[in-house]
């Protein structure tokens, strides 16, 4: 098992996001400042379909890290989708109560407690996802806290 993907958005502009991400949908933008003066991905997810999508080599465990600045939550649409060989494996959604929900192709896998993030501020999210129909799991860290 190894880190699959880490993103700080520090080394390119909004218009170049498609060079690293498989698909960029909606009204997102790279903004500064992020954590410690870097950058973060920002978008308002309310009532829109806006997400980043990354297609990775097929495997059962994904470990990802991303820097995000989120204006509002809407768990009806993902903010990040991870695919393997073009098959939807896991997506991350932000709830209206500042928590996270993980789904597999729209089917909920788990939801965090409320008030995990602060809307409108930089948040660094790390997720470890084991994809399995019977014993799968998600571990989440937000700004270093599990």
């Amino acid at each position: 098992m190894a880190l699959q993907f880490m993103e700080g958005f520090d080394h390119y502009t909004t218009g170049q996001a498609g060079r690293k991400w498989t698909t960029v949908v909606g009204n997102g933008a790279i903004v500064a400042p992020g954590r410690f003066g870097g950058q973060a991905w920002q978008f308002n997810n309310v009532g829109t379909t806006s997400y980043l999508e990354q297609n990775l080599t097929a495997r059962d465990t994904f470990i990802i890290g991303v820097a995000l600045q989120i204006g509002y939550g809407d768990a009806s649409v993902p903010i990040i989708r991870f695919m393997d060989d073009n098959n939807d494996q896991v997506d991350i959604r932000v709830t209206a109560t500042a928590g996270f929900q993980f789904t597999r192709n729209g089917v909920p896998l788990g939801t965090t407690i409320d008030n995990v993030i602060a809307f409108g501020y930089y948040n660094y999210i790390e997720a470890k996802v084991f994809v399995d129909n019977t014993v799968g799991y998600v571990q989440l860290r937000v700004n270093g806290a599990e």
Side-chain angles (χ1 to χ4, degrees):
M1 172 179 50
L3 178 68
Q4 297 298 304
F5 194 78
M6 189 165 73
E7 178 66 89
F9 302 100
D10 288 328
H11 58 284
Y12 56 91
T13 65
T14 301
Q16 298 169 327
R19 294 180 183 177
K20 190 164 184 183
W21 291 85
T22 306
T23 307
V24 179
V25 175
N27 61 356
I30 294 175
V31 297
R35 189 175 187 184
F36 306 121
Q39 298 182 146
W41 188 264
Q42 176 189 49
F43 56 90
N44 180 340
N45 210 37
V46 175
T48 65
T49 300
S50 297
Y51 61 88
L52 298 166
E53 179 179 282
Q54 185 65 14
N55 194 29
L56 302 168
T57 304
R59 51 182 73 239
D60 56 8
T61 303
F62 294 92
I63 302 172
I64 59 99
V66 292
L68 299 173
Q69 185 181 27
I70 301 164
Y72 301 94
D74 179 359
S76 67
V77 293
I79 58 168
I80 298 175
R81 293 178 61 194
F82 285 91
M83 317 282 281
D84 74 7
D85 295 332
N86 295 313
N87 296 308
D88 193 0
Q89 289 302 324
V90 66
D91 63 54
I92 301 172
R93 299 164 187 240
V94 178
T95 67
T97 56
F100 288 93
Q101 182 180 60
F102 293 83
T103 78
R104 185 172 186 190
N105 205 18
V107 177
L109 299 172
T111 304
T112 67
I113 61 173
D114 295 342
N115 301 314
V116 174
I117 62 167
F119 289 129
Y121 294 92
Y122 169 92
N123 295 275
Y124 184 74
I125 299 157
E126 297 172 309
K128 177 181 179 183
V129 181
F130 177 69
V131 179
D132 185 281
N133 289 334
T134 56
V135 295
Y137 64 85
V138 175
Q139 290 178 321
L140 178 70
R141 290 184 188 273
V142 178
N143 300 322
E146 190 168 336

